Amino acid sequence: MKHRIDKQSVETGLAPSHSLKRIANSERPTTIDQRPMIKSPRGTRDLLPPDTALWNFVEATVRDVFRAYNFHEIRTPIFESTELFARGVGEDTDIVSKEMFTWEDPPRLFEQYKKFYQDVTAAIIEGRLPAGGYRPLSDLAGSQSLTLRPENTAGIVRAYIEHKLWERGLNKFFSIGPMFRRERPQKGRYRQFYQIDAEVIGPAAAGSQSPARDAEILELVATLLDRVGITHWTLELNSVGCPADRVKFNEALQQALAPVVATMCADCQRRAVTNPLRVFDCKVPQDQPIIATLPTISQFLDEACRTHYEEVKQILNSVEIPYVENPRLVRGLDYYTRTAFEFTHGALGAQNAILGGGRYDGLSEALGGPPAPGIGFAIGEDRLVLTLSATASAESVVRQPDVYIAPLGAGMNREAARVARELRRHDLVVDLGDESFRLKKSFEAADKMGARYILIVGENEVAADAFALKHLASGEQLTIPRTELAQRILRK
Ligand code: AMP
């Protein structure tokens, strides 16, 4: 029976008026289709097959590449204490000031005894208990502010400090997982999205500050994009210097902005006061001609930073990785030093950055750790898959079933299950129908899932211990003994 949605009951949440009649007719009243539908929250989405095959293909390829560069996986929690991001990402960044999913997490004990404390507090106020001698509620609450991670560098550096990973020398980490930002969703921009992160971090004595590490990580990204099948990427490169360079640069920027900032967007007016470097993040078209006239950081690099940047470029030239210098490329986060980079791709439109990254030599200290120079990047996996889907269909990377088994007639499901188990031991992809299906229906199902062969398991076949195997594309049909089935199907 097909159920129709009853508008009145959806709105009122009450059983429809005719439900009594249904009961009288001894029909079972259904409520399932009368509830409002629940959708995934704004900015999140379900990744479904066959698209998930593209995601798996990307992740498997990425893991292979990381292995070749001797990177190892790290998995950190999806939520961390809010302070980690406030300190590690910077309180005046858009991420921290506007986009974090944050909540207060009171201890369970407090939850349990909340009523008790409310009663005690009321008794004190009403004079039934003497005031004084009690610890204030806030102490006892010990509540913690937690945040869903908006990025993963801060979490990885926190783990580096917490586990004293400098004792291992240079650490080369990668991680793959979801990030959360409360942004306005649009194509390529989500509230839950996925990043592939890599971080190289360790004591300077272990070579963590060397320009060779910067060049190696850039080469790794280039290899990774090539291997995934993304061509026509552009590597944009810059050096944002060290904190001392930036003080000088900020002063110069402030001076250059002073006469023109009043004509710029509200965000730029704020940035000019709080952090002039961020003016370069501005995407407002009217502001771009002004931004084009501002001084660039390259004019303010000290000797050491300049040499470092030169050496990165020399190594890139030597391994033949193309790049374009973009002196206006600054990263949105406070802890970046020296090398800053972005890989972009034309196919992505407005959201054209596939990934961004750079060096963050001061981050460990900002998080209470020892000096630990580092460099890393985060690839937006959603955008990587989006770019890839323009050239590769999910179907092209899915392994279609090698064989579809059609059990034919009563009692054949158990025989089919046995054959399937034997074939799967040979690493064949096997799917099965049901003994109640007519042969025509099994053929349709096998076709629909793109199986190469269909195998008939009926009473006669079981008795003969040999099965009808039909190649779907050519229509060729053979009877194959059970013991030879796997080898036959493995032959393309
Ligand atoms: P960021 O951590 O801001 O440097 O971002 C690194 C990469 O993550 C970007 O280049 C994007 O590809 C991706 N990314 C950042 N925010 C989002 C988002 N809201 N939705 C999808 N991808 C994102």
Side-chain angles (χ1 to χ4, degrees):
M1 196 193 114
K2 208 164 158 64
H3 304 297
R4 267 183 293 136
I5 294 175
D6 184 293
K7 190 156 179 283
Q8 178 204 337
S9 59
V10 168
E11 280 161 8
T12 59
L14 298 172
S17 52
H18 57 262
S19 61
L20 284 177
K21 206 160 99 200
R22 279 197 188 171
I23 293 168
N25 288 343
S26 76
E27 282 181 6
R28 286 180 54 207
T30 57
T31 48
I32 285 178
D33 57 356
Q34 294 161 0
R35 307 252 172 96
M37 194 176 88
I38 298 169
K39 291 190 175 172
S40 72
R42 192 169 133 79
T44 70
R45 63 211 176 115
D46 301 306
L47 304 173
L48 304 172
D51 291 350
T52 40
L54 273 181
W55 287 76
N56 284 327
F57 164 75
V58 164
E59 288 172 17
T61 310
V62 160
R63 284 173 187 277
D64 279 351
V65 173
F66 278 128
R67 195 173 308 123
Y69 287 78
N70 197 30
F71 277 64
H72 297 276
E73 184 169 9
I74 181 168
R75 298 191 190 200
T76 59
I78 275 171
F79 59 88
E80 297 267 4
S81 80
T82 304
E83 201 193 339
L84 176 70
F85 303 114
R87 275 207 261 159
V89 180
E91 250 159 326
D92 67 335
T93 56
D94 279 357
I95 294 180
V96 173
S97 65
K98 300 184 198 160
E99 296 170 359
M100 297 208 301
F101 288 97
T102 296
W103 71 99
E104 278 304 312
D105 189 47
R108 297 281 301 253
L109 181 77
F110 177 68
E111 284 289 293
Q112 236 166 341
Y113 291 99
K114 207 171 188 172
K115 169 108 185 45
F116 171 73
Y117 280 102
Q118 279 164 351
D119 291 348
V120 170
T121 311
I124 294 168
I125 292 167
E126 288 161 19
R128 286 183 283 118
L129 277 174
Y134 305 101
R135 275 199 293 154
L137 202 57
S138 56
D139 275 10
L140 188 107
S143 160
Q144 204 187 358
S145 178
L146 298 173
T147 291
L148 291 181
R149 61 184 188 190
E151 59 94 57
N152 208 18
T153 306
I156 292 175
V157 177
R158 194 244 339 113
Y160 172 87
I161 299 166
E162 190 168 333
H163 303 288
K164 300 187 171 57
L165 297 181
W166 51 86
E167 288 169 2
R168 302 180 181 195
L170 191 68
N171 296 268
K172 294 163 97 176
F173 293 128
F174 77 89
S175 82
I176 302 175
M179 306 294 153
F180 306 85
R181 293 182 196 173
R182 193 190 260 118
E183 295 195 84
R184 200 168 47 77
Q186 63 182 69
K187 189 174 181 202
R189 196 203 275 165
Y190 310 98
R191 290 183 163 189
Q192 174 172 338
F193 60 100
Y194 295 80
Q195 281 188 343
I196 299 164
D197 274 271
E199 313 291 345
V200 177
I201 182 167
S208 58
Q209 215 161 10
S210 163
R213 299 288 73 78
D214 306 45
E216 183 185 32
I217 222 161
L218 289 164
E219 191 222 324
L220 183 157
V221 178
T223 306
L224 205 149
L225 295 179
D226 289 343
R227 287 276 294 277
V228 167
I230 294 190
T231 47
H232 307 306
W233 44 261
T234 305
L235 162 57
E236 296 188 20
L237 194 61
N238 194 21
S239 172
V240 294
C242 41
D245 304 336
R246 265 191 311 219
V247 171
K248 285 184 272 164
F249 179 48
N250 270 330
E251 277 168 17
L253 268 183
Q254 253 157 348
Q255 274 178 20
L257 281 167
V260 286
V261 73
T263 63
M264 297 179 81
C265 71
D267 274 341
C268 279
Q269 296 191 13
R270 185 176 45 81
R271 289 169 180 141
V273 180
T274 57
N275 190 347
L277 203 73
R278 291 256 158 73
V279 167
F280 291 107
D281 289 340
C282 177
K283 299 275 184 293
V284 176
Q286 293 86 323
D287 290 353
Q288 298 312 310
I290 299 176
I291 292 170
T293 64
L294 296 174
T296 59
I297 182 85
S298 50
Q299 301 157 255
F300 297 86
L301 296 187
D302 65 18
E303 192 55 36
C305 289
R306 206 188 311 264
T307 313
H308 190 276
Y309 187 38
E310 279 309 313
E311 183 59 17
V312 174
K313 290 188 284 183
Q314 290 305 332
I315 303 177
L316 287 179
N317 292 341
S318 133
V319 292
E320 297 176 13
I321 300 297
Y323 56 85
V324 290
E325 289 184 69
N326 177 356
R328 295 181 201 284
L329 176 73
V330 290
R331 304 280 306 143
L333 310 179
D334 282 343
Y335 51 66
Y336 282 103
T337 49
R338 295 189 171 170
T339 308
F341 59 88
E342 233 167 55
F343 280 73
T344 56
H345 192 277
L348 288 171
Q351 303 294 323
N352 72 347
I354 307 175
L355 72 103
R359 185 164 268 292
Y360 47 80
D361 290 351
L363 179 58
S364 175
E365 288 107 309
L367 296 178
I375 179 161
F377 66 81
I379 304 186
E381 196 180 353
D382 305 69
R383 292 185 200 168
L384 196 67
V385 173
L386 198 65
T387 314
L388 198 62
S389 60
T391 51
S393 69
E395 282 83 1
S396 69
V397 294
V398 178
R399 194 171 150 200
Q400 248 102 24
D402 295 297
V403 58
Y404 179 90
I405 301 181
L408 201 62
M412 287 302 117
N413 272 349
R414 42 196 114 126
E415 296 298 335
R418 265 185 63 200
V419 180
R421 185 165 163 81
E422 285 161 23
L423 296 179
R424 283 172 178 148
R425 282 205 190 106
H426 290 83
D427 196 31
L428 287 165
V429 180
V430 180
D431 209 335
L432 316 114
D434 185 80
E435 60 189 28
S436 68
F437 291 0
R438 299 256 177 115
L439 201 52
K440 182 165 177 280
K441 183 167 172 176
S442 290
F443 267 94
E444 282 166 3
D447 249 353
K448 197 167 173 193
M449 67 180 65
R452 267 190 312 123
Y453 285 99
I454 187 163
L455 181 78
I456 316 293
V457 178
E459 237 172 84
N460 295 341
E461 282 82 359
V462 173
D465 214 23
F467 300 83
L469 181 71
K470 183 165 185 165
H471 188 257
L472 284 163
S474 67
E476 184 193 9
Q477 185 169 326
L478 295 167
T479 301
I480 311 287
R482 180 190 291 266
T483 50
E484 291 167 28
L485 271 175
Q487 288 316 315
R488 179 78 210 184
I489 296 166
L490 279 167
R491 250 193 273 157
K492 295 281 158 178

